[in-house]
Amino acid sequence: MAFISRGFKGRRSSAADSSRLPPGQYLATGFPVLSAGPTPHTPLEKWSFTITGEVDQDRTWTWAEFQALPAEDITADIHCVTKWSKLGTRWTGVPVSALLEGVESAADYVTAFSDGGYTTNLPLEDLVDGKAWVAFRYDGQPLDPEHGGPARLLVPHLYLWKSAKWVRGLRLTLDDRPGFWESNGYNMYGDPWREQRYWGD
Amino acid sequence: MRELIPETPHVSTLVFEVPEWPGHLAGQHVDVRLTAEDGYQAQRSYSIASPPEDGAVALTVERLEEGEVSPYLAGEVRQGDQLELRGPIGGYFVWQAGSEPQRPVLLIGGGSGVVPLMAMIRHRHAAGAGTPMRLLYSSRSLEDVIYRAELDRLAGGGLAIVHTLTRSRPPGWTGYARRLDREMLAEVAWPVTLGAAIFICGPTSFVETASAGLVELGYPPESIRTERFGATGGTT
């Protein structure tokens, strides 16, 4: 049910930009920060990244090993469930496909887990084929802790809460298990173009 | 909309009668959707200021001059107008009076970040809960303090309100007169051993300062829940 809000005009984006804006989103000028708790600060020498769960054997990278993996530059539009979008953001990250190379698994889903206890769930197929990265640079600079540094998941085709900040690993699972926000009213999948914000969308 | 309450020069409360409202928890928010005549829509999230015990849904909105939606909500909307609300939303930044009645609650709010915290304060009062509760509330000036009279009235009986005014103070002001810092947190917060539940809401830099300060003072990160705003500010 949509009815006219008397006297509301709104501020439209340019046509070029608005075609890149999913329904209900607006263009942000800065880079807003959203997180449910304090910002963790993990020293790089204590940092590691792990693939675990339904796998033949766990794989773990230290920061130095992770940095030695082939990284890609990514330019992507990002969309936060709190309605802001930012177009053409520039990142550097390791494709998740590279981290999963050689991993044998019957899993269809993944739970990304982070410092601070944050988790989020995604279908495995949404993390491969050039759709997702573990990003560690933003706009040419090391990723700021407020924005998820030293490294965060980057899955730009889903709402940004799926791009787990401070990510430390992926747990492969046979079924789709709700993560942190998914247990607190937010959608299991989170496609911004279908406006899948909350339970029932 | 049933009622419009001016709170400060920049902030108003809009009280809505919502048919079939399913009820909410203190700390939850709603999405407001506005539709222009040509079908253009804009949506934003606003925290609910009213306690679960209220039948109505009150939203307190700060008018951001550069904003798209807030100048309309806190300026154009009149009594009797209808708006599209969706909610309640969010199951994390919430406090329920009955769940851990003895666990102290520390609320830290910056500017209009006080809104979801006010729902918790009102909920504590309406539920008749004796839970020890403290609010550390940072405002620019005394006239920018939202809910000032009501906070004064509710204080006491286990509820302490501590203000800090960051830009200007009235003559004779004896309270804090600076931006929130670690020393202030150490003075206002309970000892870590009491295991308080902590809710922080405000602009990003405020929330970062408050949450990092509490972690440095020894509070477990998992006891600290944060909510941030400033979707058009922030850093890159």
Side-chain angles (χ1 to χ4, degrees):
Chain A
M1 176 192 67
F3 49 85
I4 305 303
S5 315
R6 181 189 49 76
F8 176 68
K9 301 200 172 51
R11 189 192 305 143
R12 290 151 185 74
S13 309
S14 75
D17 284 349
S18 60
S19 67
R20 289 164 70 180
L21 278 182
Q25 296 292 112
Y26 67 92
L27 275 185
T29 48
F31 191 166
V33 171
L34 280 126
S35 37
T39 299
H41 295 268
T42 301
L44 294 181
E45 62 271 20
K46 294 204 174 142
W47 188 92
S48 63
F49 192 89
T50 301
I51 305 275
T52 186
E54 292 288 334
V55 293
D56 50 338
Q57 61 177 73
D58 287 5
R59 274 126 173 114
T60 299
W61 293 263
T62 64
W63 181 256
E65 289 164 347
F66 172 74
Q67 291 287 296
L69 295 170
E72 297 176 353
D73 291 327
I74 309 116
T75 300
D77 299 347
I78 53 177
H79 312 291
C80 178
V81 72
T82 64
K83 322 289 187 306
W84 59 265
S85 291
K86 200 168 168 58
L87 305 182
T89 59
R90 299 191 303 119
W91 307 79
T92 305
V94 174
V96 173
S97 309
L99 299 164
L100 293 172
E101 210 171 280
V103 172
E104 286 177 37
S105 174
D108 287 324
Y109 297 93
V110 171
T111 295
F113 54 91
S114 300
D115 281 322
Y118 183 78
T119 56
T120 188
N121 55 300
L122 310 98
L124 181 57
E125 63 181 8
D126 283 81
L127 292 177
V128 294
D129 300 332
K131 293 197 284 287
W133 298 264
V134 176
F136 55 91
R137 292 178 82 78
Y138 175 76
D139 226 0
Q141 301 295 323
L143 185 57
D144 189 271
E146 281 183 27
H147 292 303
R152 73 179 296 169
L153 200 58
L154 178 66
V155 194
H157 70 286
L158 300 177
Y159 281 124
L160 207 54
W161 89 81
K162 298 287 184 180
S163 295
K165 291 180 182 178
W166 314 301
V167 71
R168 292 291 298 277
L170 304 176
R171 181 174 299 111
L172 277 62
T173 59
L174 297 177
D175 41 36
D176 199 11
R177 302 181 193 170
F180 177 80
W181 286 120
E182 295 83 0
S183 302
N184 281 292
Y186 289 79
N187 195 270
M188 286 291 270
Y189 185 62
D191 178 354
W193 293 97
R194 288 187 280 164
E195 212 173 353
Q196 294 172 327
R197 298 180 192 276
Y198 311 120
W199 291 346
D201 283 344
Chain B
M1 185 180 75
R2 186 178 75 190
E3 198 184 352
L4 181 71
I5 307 166
E7 302 278 4
T8 76
H10 306 284
V11 176
S12 299
T13 293
L14 296 81
V15 184
F16 295 95
E17 305 274 4
V18 186
E20 295 167 53
W21 181 247
H24 65 274
L25 304 174
Q28 287 188 301
H29 64 271
V30 294
D31 280 3
V32 176
R33 183 159 75 175
L34 303 179
T35 305
E37 280 190 23
D38 63 358
Y40 171 81
Q41 294 187 324
Q43 298 184 51
R44 296 293 188 279
S45 298
Y46 291 97
S47 290
I48 302 172
S50 45
E53 289 78 4
D54 262 22
V57 175
L59 307 182
T60 299
V61 178
E62 180 175 17
R63 188 185 167 97
L64 306 169
E65 295 310 327
E66 302 298 308
E68 180 182 24
V69 171
S70 67
Y72 178 81
L73 291 179
E76 299 279 324
V77 177
R78 284 175 236 149
Q79 203 176 349
D81 280 357
Q82 294 198 326
L83 254 77
E84 270 183 275
L85 302 184
R86 175 158 186 212
I89 295 158
Y92 183 69
F93 196 85
V94 297
W95 179 72
Q96 292 177 267
S99 61
E100 297 172 298
Q102 303 307 323
R103 186 183 186 192
V105 179
L106 175 62
L107 309 174
I108 302 176
S112 59
V114 75
V115 175
L117 310 179
M118 190 61 179
M120 298 178 191
I121 291 171
R122 288 168 165 164
H123 173 44
R124 176 186 179 276
H125 181 72
T131 309
M133 191 177 262
R134 287 180 187 168
L135 169 67
L136 174 57
Y137 181 12
S138 174
S139 307
R140 282 184 294 254
S141 70
L142 198 61
E143 71 163 9
D144 289 307
V145 175
I146 309 168
Y147 316 124
R148 177 153 57 109
E150 187 179 350
L151 287 170
D152 287 348
R153 202 169 61 241
L154 292 175
L159 173 68
I161 310 290
V162 180
H163 292 282
T164 184
L165 301 180
T166 59
R167 285 207 196 146
S168 65
R169 269 74 55 182
W173 176 257
T174 55
Y176 288 118
R178 60 182 197 266
R179 284 173 179 276
L180 178 131
D181 55 29
R182 199 166 84 179
E183 187 188 347
M184 193 186 297
L185 290 167
E187 287 168 5
V188 174
W190 279 281
V192 172
T193 48
L194 289 185
I198 301 167
F199 296 87
I200 307 172
C201 184
T204 289
S205 60
F206 177 88
V207 172
E208 283 294 319
T209 303
S211 58
L214 288 170
V215 170
E216 284 171 31
L217 289 169
Y219 288 85
E222 59 274 16
S223 68
I224 303 170
R225 297 175 188 224
T226 63
E227 188 126 290
R228 304 155 197 250
F229 58 81
T232 52
T235 56
T236 51

